[in-house]
Each structure stands twice: as C-alpha cells, then as structure tokens.
Amino acid sequence: METYLQFVVLGLGLGAVYIGLANGLLLVYRSTGIINFAQGATAMWGAYVFAQLGDDGTLVLPIGSVRFPEPPPIWVALLIGLLSAVALGLITHYLVFRPVRDAPALAQVVVSVALMLTVQALVVIRFGPNNIPVEALIPPGSVELFGTRLSSSELVMAAIMVTTSVLIWAYFGFTRLGAATRAAAANPRGAVLLGFSPDRLAAIATVLAAVVATLGVLLGSSLTGLNPLNYTLLVVPALAVLLVARMESVGVIAVAALVLGAFQSLVNLFTGKQWWPEWAASGLDQVVPFVVVIVILLVFGSRLPSRGSLQTIRLPDVSVPRFRPVPAVVLLVAVGVALALSSSTYRFGLTYSIILMLLALSYVVITGYLGQISLAQTAFAGAAGFTLSKLTTDWAMPMPLAVFLGALVAALLGMLVALPAFRIRGAQLAIVTIAAALAIERFVFNNYSLTPASGNPIANPTLFGLNLGIREGSDIARLPFSLLVLAVAALVVWAFIRLASGDTGRTFLAVRANERAAASVGIDVRRTKLLGFGLSAFIAGLAGCLIGYSAGQLSAESFTVFVGLQVLAVAYLGGITSFSGAALAGVLGPLGILYVVLHEVLELGDYYALISGIALIVTAILNPVGMAGEARRMADRVRDRRRPPDRTPEVRARSADDTKEAVGQP
C-alpha cells in the first residue's frame, strides 16, 4: 500500500503539468474558439529560457542571445522566463490566432499545428534536442501521511497549480474582464456595444494561458528535465483533461488532471510487475488519454460546446479532376528521365518526394474531399510498414501481395479510428486522431516486444526474379526501385482521379458540404465516412510500405506524430483539395527533393522544420486554399474571361446546393 501511495503522489507532479496546459487550452478556447495544439510547445519556451539562465547565465532569444556575467538568482530567472512567455503569448495572438479567428476549423487546426512545429523546431535549434536538467523551484523534502514518507515536492506543485485554477475561476466569475471574455465568446458584437474589445480580451486570455502553462512546465521539468519532444506532446493528455471538463469547468480540469497523472503513474508501476504481460509493458500510459478522449467524445460529444458550429466546415473549393493521357505520359516520362539522370543523393530525394506525394494524397482524400480532419495518417502508414516487415522477413511473402496486405491492415485501422467520426468532426475529430496516433506510436511502434529496438528489417522487393531493392553497394538509390515507386504512384493517382471524378467522389463532396443535406438525398453518411477513412488509410499504407522498402528496415522514428504533422502542413500548404497540392507537398515534404537541396546546396537542412512551419502559418493566414489552390483559382479566372458568354461553366462543389446538383439529386 505504501508503494501505491508513493506512486500516486509522484503522479501528482505530472497532474500539475496537465492543470497548467489544460487551463491554457481553456483560456485560449474560451476567448478565441481555437483549440491550441501548440500549447505544450509554447509553454516549454519559457521553461527553456529559465533553465539556460540558471545553467550559464545566457538569455537565449529566438535570434541572438544576451550573456550575463554570472547566472542570475533563481527568482530573476523565473521572472524572465515568465516574461518570455508573456511575449510569446502576445506574438501568438496577434500574429497567428487573431488572423484565423473567423477562419474554417481546418485552417485553425492547421495554423495551431504549424505553430507547434515552428516552436518545437526553434527550441531544437536554439537549445538542442537532448534532455536538459532544470533547477528545482521547490526545495526537496518529505512529509508523513498515513504512516508513509511521501515526497513533498509533488504535493506543493499540485497545490500551486490548483491555486492557479482557483485564480482563473475567479477571473472568469468575479472580474469585469473575465465576464466580458465569456460574453464576447458568445456574442462578439454585443461585447463591442458594451465597450469591450473582443480582440484585446482574447489577447489577455492568451497571455494568461501562456503564463499558467509555462508555470506548470517549469514545475514539472524540475523533476524530469526538459525535452522538446515530450513536452510538446503533453498537449494530448491535456486535451483529454479539457474534454473531461467539457471545455468549460476549471474545477473539473484540476481534479481530472490530478487523477489522470496519478492513474498514469500507477499504470507505470503495474507494468513493472512480474505478472504484467510483456507485450503491454511499454507505452500503455499513453493509451489512457486516448481512451479518455474516445469515451468523452462518444458519450458527451453532442453536448460539448460549439459542436453545432462544426457541422458544416467551409473548406477550399474542389475542382473535379480529369484524366488527360497526353500530359500524364509526358509527366511520367519527364520524372523518369529526371530519376535516371540524377545522382544517387538527388534520386533518393525525388523518390522520397513521390512517396510523400502518396502520403499527402491520403490527406487529400480524407480532408480535402470528405472534410474530416485526420492527424493519424502516419500511424496508418507505420502500421502497414511494420506489417510488411513481418510478412517479408517471417513469411517470405512476395512484394505485391505483402504490400497489398500491409495496406489492407492500414485500411482496417483507419476504419476503426473512423468510428468516432460518426458523431463528431472538425477540431474534435482532430483531437481524437492525434490521440490515436500518439497511442499507436508509443504502444505499438515503441513497444520492443512488438517492434525490436534494433529495428524491423524488410526484405528487398523482387518481381519476376528482378531485384528492385533501393541499395546496392555505394548506390543509395537504385534506379529500378525509383521506377517501381513511380509506377505505384502513377497507378494510385489514376485510381484517385477515377474515384474523385465518379459517383464516390461526388458522394464524398456531398458529405463534406453538409452531412444533413447529404443524408436527406439518400446518402449513407456513416458508410461514406468509413469508406473515406479506409481508402485514405489504404493509400497511406502504400506509402508506408514504400517508406519501409526505401529504408531497408523500420523503426518508430520513421512514423512519429511529428512526421505526420509535417506532411499535413505541407499538404495544406500545397493545396489540400487536389492532386497538384499533393504533388507540391511531396516536393516540399521532409526528406523530399527540396529538403535534399537545402541540405546539400545551402546546408539548411536543420532549419527545414522551422522554415516549413513559418511558411505554413503565413500561407494559412494569407491564402487558406494553399498555393496550388490559388494557382488554380487564377487559372479559372483567366479561363472565365476568355470563355464565350453562352458557354456553360463547369460544375464546382462550393455549397450544399452545388453538391446536390453534382450527385444528380433534386
């Protein structure tokens, strides 16, 4: 019993971090309506500033630094760290969130994801990728409770963060600014008539969110150290806590956060027991937030705030694609010639760009055509890749069949994740899918009983006795493998065009435009969503198999949540509703040809994530349809000017009525 009580108290330290992050999420959501997926990343910046000041007296800025003669006192370092959080909160509001406050849910999700990638990349560049120690704000000690000696640090941390929850509750309930913030969230025009600026109220709330979340990370990191990966992804359990509180109650946030932290600590205790099954000994604590998210959204999804506003999500326009044989052949020949003439390094970049194009195409299907925001596509790709490893090494299964079965496993997993989409969509579905992706990554990909730490080898692909493997000797990208990838991509794109231009594509667009209108004309919305998730996951699975063949063996690093978010970022940047957008995303994606050029020619490969994150933020704010979508719009304007007046315009799916016409319904 003593051991259990000790682990419960240890979990309160993690729960204190969750309180800070969840309260930050609540403050931003109440004031702007945006779910800030970057809350963990932005909160750790101030903690890193504090840690570096305490280490060598250096005040690290985004650009440049200030060196003090000696490390300042701890209270001075704390004040500077919190002031840096205030500055980052103001920048976040005025430069990132304010421009997209009235944007579609997809644009809001993407811009917060882009902010997360940007800050995380900046932290890695400025402070390094390794774990660093943090000076404790609370002196170590112990107390005796129920006859057991317990650490007092975690208890004090929990008390401090519960106190911040009380202050936030008092701010919303007993101050004019807090009451005005709640009123402005419900009726911005009414707040303006009463003399309040909704924009200024949102800025105050965002700054408070940054300070509270940073304080939580500062307290927690004194126990665990700072790591740019772990603290960025702590936003997932914080989102679970926010949903338990139904995105409203500060008191429930405090209780749920402490309970979740204590429960995860107990799970870690149980997994170390001899009687615990080995296959479930790794990453199970990360499954808990996913289960919480699923249960809350399935049980209370219809009663969560703002759900009604997510029923119809305005997305960039869609042009129904057409298959044009001559341009397609010319493009294939041009790419094939480029692959043949390139050196091994650039051929690898081109080949990987084609693979990333397939992964981005899965986002086009699920988000661009069906309107569902999925952040789990790389998890589906990883499931296919690890299945391919087992099939090719353990069962010696030939390439076409092994790839098909691997992609089929991904499709089944995608359909399983699609079940919550029957009741929710928009930002809430994004929460489900990112929680699912993190759970799959930690519980499956990082589970050494399922995926050994040494990696998962994959046998070289062969076809009719021909070796199509990627490597041979010093050649890191053989031409036969590149041509194989090109052939698979061509086949998938052709199938996508047939699907998008047929009845299935029109059905997807009808569901995207308005689910109720689609159901009223006889479309089975649930079956359509299952089909969309399955098809997109199948395409992602094909990409995952090709990634496996390109690496020779797989590890969890090949399919992290961050890889998926980066691909989503460049897919949205390229244009989330078209093949041309997916192609552009392949060029811009991580390890693609642009990354290779930046690394080889300009030596800027380490800055790729930062550059792409900033570019995505700017694009999402200035051009919500993406670069390819804007180019298509410009081309449409030019064509419309040249079109004779009596010529009927091409049908485009821009509203529910247009979509009904596209599917041939009255």
Side-chain angles (χ1 to χ4, degrees), residues 17-41:
V17 180
Y18 293 161
I19 291 176
L21 294 178
N23 278 329
L25 289 167
L26 178 66
L27 283 163
V28 173
Y29 180 76
R30 277 198 173 185
S31 59
T32 65
I34 296 174
I35 295 178
N36 182 17
F37 289 90
Q39 192 68 66

Side-chain angles (χ1 to χ4, degrees), residues 301-439:
S302 60
R303 284 176 280 175
L304 289 176
S306 298
R307 183 178 184 271
S309 64
L310 298 176
Q311 292 303 307
T312 301
I313 301 175
R314 182 166 48 89
L315 288 169
D317 299 337
V318 174
S319 288
V320 178
R322 296 178 180 178
F323 179 71
R324 297 177 173 84
V326 175
V329 171
V330 172
L331 179 61
L332 282 175
V333 171
V335 175
V337 170
L339 290 170
L341 298 180
S342 300
S343 63
S344 293
T345 301
Y346 291 101
R347 184 184 301 133
F348 178 85
L350 284 171
T351 303
Y352 213 84
S353 286
I354 299 173
I355 298 174
L356 290 178
M357 181 271 295
L358 289 178
L359 189 56
L361 192 63
S362 72
Y363 284 107
V364 172
V365 172
I366 191 64
T367 301
Y369 272 75
L370 194 55
Q372 309 299 303
I373 304 176
S374 172
L375 304 181
Q377 298 304 106
T378 48
F380 304 148
F386 284 109
T387 301
L388 177 70
S389 173
K390 300 295 183 183
L391 294 176
T392 58
T393 56
D394 296 347
W395 295 0
M397 190 172 291
M399 180 195 68
L401 182 58
V403 171
F404 175 78
L405 291 179
L408 186 60
V409 168
L412 294 175
L413 184 60
M415 295 173 73
L416 181 63
V417 174
L419 296 179
F422 291 166
R423 297 194 62 185
I424 59 175
R425 63 180 308 194
Q428 294 176 4
L429 184 59
I431 295 174
V432 170
T433 52
I434 194 174
L438 184 60

Side-chain angles (χ1 to χ4, degrees), residues 498-509:
R498 291 293 302 270
L499 178 145
S501 59
D503 292 340
T504 301
R506 296 186 181 95
T507 302
F508 283 4
L509 291 175

